[in-house]
Amino acid sequence: MLRYLTAGESHGKCLVGIIEGIPSGVRIDDKKINHELKRRQSGYGRGPRMKMEFDKAEILSGVRRSITIGSPIALLIKNKDHSIDSLSAFSNPRPGHADLPGALKYGFSDMRSVLERASARKTAIDVAIGAICKQLIDNFKISLSSRTISVGGEVIVSKIHKKIDLAKRNKDTLGGIFQVCVKNVPVGLGSYVHADRRLNALIAAALMGIPGIKSVEFGLGIALAEKFGSQVHDVIAYTRNKGIYRKTNNAGGIEGGMSNGEDIIVSCAMKPITTLANPLDSIELKTKKKTKATVQRADICAIEAAGVIAEGVVAFEIAKALMDKFGSDSLAEIKNSLQSYLKKIR
Ligand code: EPS
């Protein structure tokens, strides 16, 4: 069973994560983890914090001489800005942020206590965990990539940059749409037997767990609802060379809650960043008097980072589903079991 937990506040000492269930025998290169962390920090429209932090993960356990030993892997990323105790209190919540429901739920008058964990800063450790999973599934030639589809309705890179510049000038923010693609997933990961074993349900939940994500679509997604069945279902074909395959991939690689052997293609919409330098109306929680929402240091647009984070959380779900089907103690065991399965279904 693969599982992970993380801890850490945006301006606390560090972010930590423990992933349990990575099999023995997997080579882990910390440079690959740090490469993913660097990708997460980049992208047009990021805020000043990304110029201050140089995220690097330290592996504290579970890896000996660069090879996993089956025990839990603990990771640590230090925050350069760890000013949590000196940062000012606020009680004028940002519309769209966790500030208000979080303060009401946990009984805080100071919403900084919400911000600190609700911040997308914690996605750094998610990416580090995902980078471990990527290195596991790389042994099976399963790879992930992401790309920005649009920002504020613009699809051309130069126009996207101009729109982000405009948002910055106007003290505003933007969201967008990105897509994740997973290649070479064997057929049959996930299951149709229960909702909580459906691979699309697990991937969608993981993606909706990323701050700011408001919708998830597989393949043609919402557009499927506008077409006839004959126009969208992916025709099944066979050649000796390819084996069983689909002539199209409108399903996005998942049918009946299981991978069908085609690329898994999933798109997400991210809402605009909720800290506006020209803030929206809000209230002062104690007095209920009208005021402006708090202004905190933030990004203008973090869509490219969101794609990298999404790769990480999807990599975790794929690794988990792979081990649910093919075993989980050692890499050799999983390889053997996958090979005999592929031989059988061919
Ligand atoms: C982020 C770190 C944060 C924000 C941003 C993402 O750092 P700080 O709050 O110190 O500027 O830049 O967080 C948000 C967009 C948010 O809403 O919390 C990061 O590491 O990705």
Side-chain angles (χ1 to χ4, degrees):
M1 181 174 131
L2 190 65
R3 55 183 174 169
Y4 81 96
L5 265 184
T6 72
E9 277 74 39
S10 180
H11 308 97
K13 277 188 186 160
C14 58
L15 301 167
V16 295
I18 297 180
I19 180 163
E20 188 205 336
I22 292 289
S24 66
V26 180
R27 178 168 291 280
I28 300 294
D29 181 349
D30 55 3
K31 283 199 257 354
K32 289 186 180 169
I33 304 176
N34 293 333
H35 172 71
E36 295 298 306
L37 291 174
K38 196 167 177 198
R39 286 179 68 218
R40 193 201 75 93
Q41 286 198 271
S42 49
Y44 204 76
R46 298 306 310 267
R49 180 82 184 268
M50 292 302 100
K51 295 202 173 76
M52 300 165 60
E53 303 286 347
F54 298 94
D55 292 340
K56 277 203 164 25
E58 201 182 323
I59 299 172
L60 302 178
S61 71
V63 178
R64 183 164 174 251
R65 296 176 180 155
S66 302
I67 307 287
T68 59
I69 54 172
S71 52
I73 299 173
L75 296 166
L76 178 137
I77 300 171
K78 286 186 183 141
N79 285 330
K80 285 224 158 60
D81 180 352
H82 48 82
S83 53
I84 188 166
D85 288 334
S86 56
L87 288 167
S88 55
F90 71 92
S91 48
N92 45 336
R94 291 161 287 179
H97 204 276
D99 298 342
L100 180 59
L104 296 174
K105 176 178 169 67
Y106 288 99
F108 298 133
S109 51
D110 173 9
M111 292 166 185
R112 173 144 318 267
S113 298
V114 178
L115 174 164
E116 284 296 330
R117 180 65 183 167
S119 168
R121 175 79 194 137
K122 68 83 66 173
T123 60
I125 199 73
D126 296 327
V127 166
I129 297 275
I132 299 269
C133 297
K134 277 186 173 186
Q135 291 183 64
L136 162 62
I137 61 181
D138 184 52
N139 287 282
F140 307 95
K141 310 256 177 308
I142 302 173
S143 63
L144 291 102
S145 60
S146 63
R147 66 189 178 106
T148 299
I149 301 283
S150 66
V151 170
E154 301 291 353
V155 295
I156 298 165
V157 176
S158 58
K159 287 194 174 174
I160 288 176
H161 289 186
K162 271 190 189 146
K163 190 119 188 195
I164 293 173
D165 292 341
L166 177 69
K168 191 172 183 181
R169 275 200 304 282
N170 291 345
K171 299 185 168 183
D172 215 323
T173 61
L174 285 164
I177 298 172
F178 65 84
Q179 190 173 79
V180 174
C181 176
V182 195
K183 287 197 176 296
N184 210 26
V185 184
V187 63
L189 300 195
S191 175
Y192 52 86
V193 303
H194 270 123
D196 63 358
R197 292 187 55 199
R198 286 185 173 255
L199 187 61
N200 49 343
L202 295 165
I203 290 175
L207 290 167
M208 290 297 278
I210 299 171
I213 302 304
K214 298 306 273 185
S215 82
V216 177
E217 292 183 46
F218 289 85
L220 276 191
I222 210 164
L224 286 165
E226 294 162 5
K227 309 224 181 215
F228 290 110
S230 57
Q231 295 175 302
V232 296
H233 295 308
D234 302 308
V235 167
I236 301 169
Y238 174 84
T239 64
R240 266 184 91 94
N241 244 350
K242 283 191 183 177
I244 301 170
Y245 73 100
R246 305 306 167 106
K247 292 195 166 172
T248 53
N249 186 17
N250 295 327
I254 299 187
E255 287 170 312
M258 295 164 292
S259 54
N260 66 5
E262 300 298 321
D263 294 348
I264 294 179
I265 295 176
V266 54
S267 307
C268 298
M270 185 187 196
K271 68 184 177 184
I273 300 287
T274 51
T275 299
L276 305 187
N278 183 18
L280 292 172
D281 286 346
S282 183
I283 58 160
E284 183 57 47
L285 187 61
K286 196 165 177 201
T287 62
K288 313 289 185 293
K289 284 208 175 109
K290 186 175 163 182
T291 183
K292 290 288 177 187
T294 185
V295 180
Q296 303 287 331
R297 182 176 64 198
D299 305 305
I300 306 295
C301 179
I303 193 75
E304 288 177 57
V308 178
I309 300 157
E311 285 176 37
V313 302
V314 174
F316 173 85
E317 294 302 333
I318 298 289
K320 185 170 181 296
L322 188 83
M323 288 196 286
D324 285 348
K325 172 130 182 68
F326 298 110
S328 56
D329 291 335
S330 73
L331 184 62
E333 174 193 335
I334 304 171
K335 275 188 175 165
N336 280 341
S337 152
L338 176 64
Q339 260 162 24
S340 66
Y341 169 77
L342 290 178
K343 209 168 146 195
K344 201 176 85 197
I345 62 170
R346 215 179 139 79

